[in-house]
Amino acid sequence: QVTSAPPHTDKQDVFVLQTSGAKHWRVYDPPAPALRPGADPMARGKANDRLELDELGPPLIDTVLTPGQVLYVPAGYPHTTDTVHLDGAGEAAEQDSVHLTIGIDTHIWGLNYAGARKGALQRAAEKDGLNVNRLSPEDHWRLMGVPANLGFLRNH
């Protein structure tokens, strides 16, 4: 499978606005952080970390964006793109593909439950022995303030 961007996660919640041409997007459930406790779940597939497609299940969202369409990808959700599989894109498939990415940096600034917990424990001069990457996937993503799933978007 040819990709423009290999599978990766972002620390930001991302809004993608397709401005010209078409792009095929696939968004997946995040892999369990405990599978790679030393890896940053919000930066998988970047720097020295590889995130392979076979580590991911079937896509939650598998869509082709055309000009004027918007896609929301929450922080920590793996995604990949290509400009090869553009079925249904019509004339947009013949144009150069350009999109604008708008990132909302809530996790970078610690604006989530994990950041609030850490700040409260520091303020109380208490030690924090919790390794959030060793929690169950449900507890980890809840603490990070990331939606439990995007399944409701699958048919849109």
Side-chain angles (χ1 to χ4, degrees):
Q1 193 169 36
V2 178
T3 61
S4 301
H8 67 280
T9 62
D10 293 314
K11 291 180 184 282
Q12 304 90 355
D13 293 313
V14 172
F15 290 91
V16 177
L17 293 81
Q18 189 70 29
T19 60
S20 69
K23 189 164 283 161
H24 180 206
W25 287 82
R26 287 169 310 285
V27 181
Y28 301 88
D29 265 329
L35 295 176
R36 290 208 187 154
D40 180 352
M42 300 289 195
R44 293 295 318 274
K46 295 184 175 177
N48 294 327
D49 182 70
R50 299 223 359 121
L51 180 59
E52 302 293 341
L53 282 173
D54 62 1
E55 292 180 61
L56 306 170
L60 295 172
I61 299 172
D62 188 342
T63 192
V64 174
L65 294 185
T66 56
Q69 292 184 315
V70 176
L71 175 66
Y72 169 66
V73 182
Y77 273 72
H79 52 281
T80 187
T81 65
D82 72 66
T83 54
V84 177
H85 303 96
L86 301 177
D87 297 339
E91 292 178 14
E94 304 303 319
Q95 302 169 358
D96 290 336
S97 180
V98 178
H99 72 271
L100 173 67
T101 300
I102 298 173
I104 311 296
D105 289 337
T106 56
H107 298 283
I108 291 173
W109 297 105
L111 302 176
N112 54 37
Y113 296 119
R117 181 183 179 282
K118 182 178 180 178
L121 289 172
Q122 284 177 340
R123 188 172 176 95
E126 295 289 332
K127 290 191 183 256
D128 186 0
L130 179 66
N131 180 340
V132 296
N133 289 344
R134 295 196 183 274
L135 294 172
S136 71
E138 297 81 17
D139 291 339
H140 172 86
W141 295 113
R142 186 178 315 113
L143 192 60
M144 298 307 289
V146 173
N149 67 65
L150 290 180
F152 70 95
L153 294 175
R154 192 172 297 174
N155 297 320
H156 295 276

